[in-house]
Amino acid sequence: MTLFTRRSIIIGAPALLAGCDKVVQNPTARAILFKGEDMHRGLQRALTDRGALAREFSADQRSPIFRSNGTRDPGTSEYAALAAGKFTDWRLRVGGLVAHPLSLTLSDLARLPNRAQITRHDCVEGWSAIAKWQGPTLGAVLKAAGLRDAARYIVFTCADLYGGAPYYESIDLVDAFHPQTILAWALNDRMLPIANGAPCRLRVERQLGYKHAKYLMRIDAVASLADIGKGRGGYWEDNVDYDWYAGI
């Protein structure tokens, strides 16, 4: 029996996919990629170690260019002012179900214990790229904020707007505390470019690219996703029926 993984389907069938920024038009592709999320999540976690690492690569295996997709510049006056000041006035707010709300600068993130990792980014439109990312683990930030017992999910709110409202995504605590889930402020040993999510983006290496929220502004711990957007926990999940658990 041949086992088809989500990764093999995505990388092997780009013709079925309409892109990260567009509705997947083919109903068969939609059924394969975005249905049965509970079964997929359960099977993956039953068959693999929850702490298993995504593959990491050597420096000479990095892609010549790490392309950008989705929003390439939020284009708001607020974001433009932050970028003009080289993000010295940017703050990452950490709140929700935490004991100690945080307001972190880029310097704060750089002073935390940082992790550097060279990993592969897999997009639902069928392309992949390998790059080096650096930043503190999300788990370390959440521990500093002190999660309350009721917290079950972590929600990310971003500077880019979709339909006039900030982009949003979410993950559960298993992926939030994975050692390769980081708040990346550097790409290939340079400050994160605007096209790739400056000043800070999520890297959640065992999930598909649309889960890696860019232009982070807020991180909130919540007990339920019911009040986040339309209740499915992410912009694409709510509006294009993408799978919430995008594990690979």
Side-chain angles (χ1 to χ4, degrees), residues 13 49 73 83 99 104 120 131 141 151 177 208 220 227 229 235:
D49 178 0
D73 186 330
L104 303 172
R120 188 173 75 189
V141 171
F177 282 93
L208 289 172
D220 289 287
D227 296 326
Y235 175 83

Side-chain angles (χ1 to χ4, degrees), residues 15 17 23 30 32 71 89 91-92 101 120 125 128-129 135 162 164 209 211 239:
L17 304 172
V23 175
R30 291 170 67 87
I32 292 172
T71 303
D89 292 330
R91 298 293 184 272
L92 178 62
R120 188 173 75 189
E125 69 179 353
S128 297
Y162 280 71
K211 300 294 288 190
N239 294 284

